Amino acid sequence: QVQLVESGGGLVQPGGSLRLSCAASGRVFSINTMGWHRQAPGKERELVATISSGRTTNYADSVKGRFTISRDNAKNTVYLQMNNVKPEDTAVYYCRAPSVLLAPGLLKDYWGQGTQVTVSS
């Protein structure tokens, strides 16, 4: 059984920083891309950032220059460093690993349970 467990959400003031973590637990062969998505109230879930196992990154335009995604392959953990946050960053942030190799030829897509980030003064 593989689970993605997020941590690090909370309340932060505009202009502040927050670091989210997502650790994959359970037995896996390897994890290719990992990423973060978010969903604000009344809006659709959107991609925030992704990182490949080779550490190639991709960001939504709205967070470029402010957020940094990184990962520790040995720990199967992905991080999202959020700097200079804005009220519009308020959302539930979800970790995703769409290509988890559980066994040769067995790929599965996993989502975390989400962590709330609120940006407010």
Side-chain angles (χ1 to χ4, degrees):
Q1 183 81 3
V2 174
Q3 286 186 316
L4 300 182
V5 180
E6 299 121 332
S7 60
L11 175 65
V12 59
Q13 292 187 342
S17 297
L18 208 60
R19 190 192 196 207
L20 306 182
S21 299
C22 170
S25 64
R27 178 172 289 188
V28 300
F29 266 49
S30 65
I31 302 177
N32 188 2
T33 298
M34 299 185 79
W36 292 94
H37 296 245
R38 68 185 181 187
Q39 187 166 19
K43 294 188 176 182
E44 294 188 353
R45 193 172 296 189
E46 62 176 359
L47 176 69
V48 176
T50 62
I51 184 167
S52 71
S53 57
R55 293 182 172 81
T56 297
T57 59
N58 177 54
Y59 295 94
D61 287 342
S62 58
V63 306
K64 279 180 182 176
R66 301 187 298 121
F67 292 8
T68 301
I69 190 170
S70 61
R71 66 188 286 171
D72 184 333
N73 288 336
K75 296 180 179 179
N76 287 330
T77 299
V78 63
Y79 307 95
L80 185 69
Q81 178 66 42
M82 306 167 62
N83 295 332
N84 190 23
V85 295
K86 304 175 181 180
E88 51 263 43
D89 294 322
T90 295
V92 178
Y93 283 71
Y94 297 90
C95 175
R96 184 186 183 194
S99 301
V100 178
L101 187 65
L102 300 179
L106 180 58
L107 280 171
K108 283 207 166 183
D109 183 355
Y110 290 96
W111 288 84
Q113 80 286 355
T115 185
Q116 176 70 46
V117 171
T118 301
V119 182
S120 175
S121 54

